[in-house]
Amino acid sequence: RNPVTNCAFMVTETDIPDWCFIEGGLGSYHPGKFLSSEQVAKLYHMSPIAYASNIRTPLLMLLGMKDLRVPPSQGLNFFKTLKAKGVETRCLTYPESTHSLSDSVRTEADVWINVIQWFNKGVLDA
């Protein structure tokens, strides 16, 4: 659900860049503060995208397309990267949803139905 996959990129597109600074161990965030190349590298290397070549587990992505916390580009980029590497991956997008994916009963029901189907497929096909 709306995964953070590249902190180095997310810091420039989220409405909570301070979260990226704290999680990345970069100290306090100040608007207009530019990252050094070392800080960008640190954020990148703590991100799942840096280890995409090691991922083998099938992955279901659920993205709210109006998410300002974790912009959908995070998940879409990761989805495309994993697909290119041959990892079984499915990406579902919800055009009117934000971060919670519970903006409507229809969306929330669709999310849970697809999660259950994904796990059933993985367990039954294993």
Side-chain angles (χ1 to χ4, degrees), residues 7 21 30 35 37-38 42 49 51-52 55 66-67 70 72 86 99 101 108 110 112 115:
C7 284
F21 271 70
H30 303 287
L35 294 174
S37 57
E38 292 81 16
K42 182 176 182 180
I49 195 77
Y51 306 97
I55 296 173
K66 290 187 175 178
D67 189 350
V70 182
H99 189 67
L101 295 179
E108 195 163 9
D110 190 74
W112 286 112
V115 167

Side-chain angles (χ1 to χ4, degrees), residues 38-98:
E38 292 81 16
Q39 290 172 317
V40 170
K42 182 176 182 180
L43 288 174
Y44 178 80
H45 287 292
M46 63 173 277
S47 302
I49 195 77
Y51 306 97
S53 62
N54 298 329
I55 296 173
R56 306 279 182 268
T57 304
L59 184 63
L60 173 63
M61 310 283 288
L62 304 162
L63 307 176
M65 299 308 284
K66 290 187 175 178
D67 189 350
L68 299 177
R69 298 279 113 91
V70 182
S73 58
Q74 291 281 306
L76 292 170
N77 186 10
F78 201 57
F79 169 72
K80 290 174 184 176
T81 299
L82 294 179
K83 281 300 248 189
K85 295 186 178 297
V87 177
E88 182 182 354
T89 309
R90 184 170 182 211
C91 183
L92 300 176
T93 59
Y94 298 91
E96 298 303 316
S97 286
T98 59

Side-chain angles (χ1 to χ4, degrees), residues 99-113:
H99 189 67
S100 69
L101 295 179
S102 60
D103 304 281
S104 72
V105 172
R106 176 175 286 194
T107 297
E108 195 163 9
D110 190 74
V111 164
W112 286 112
I113 288 167

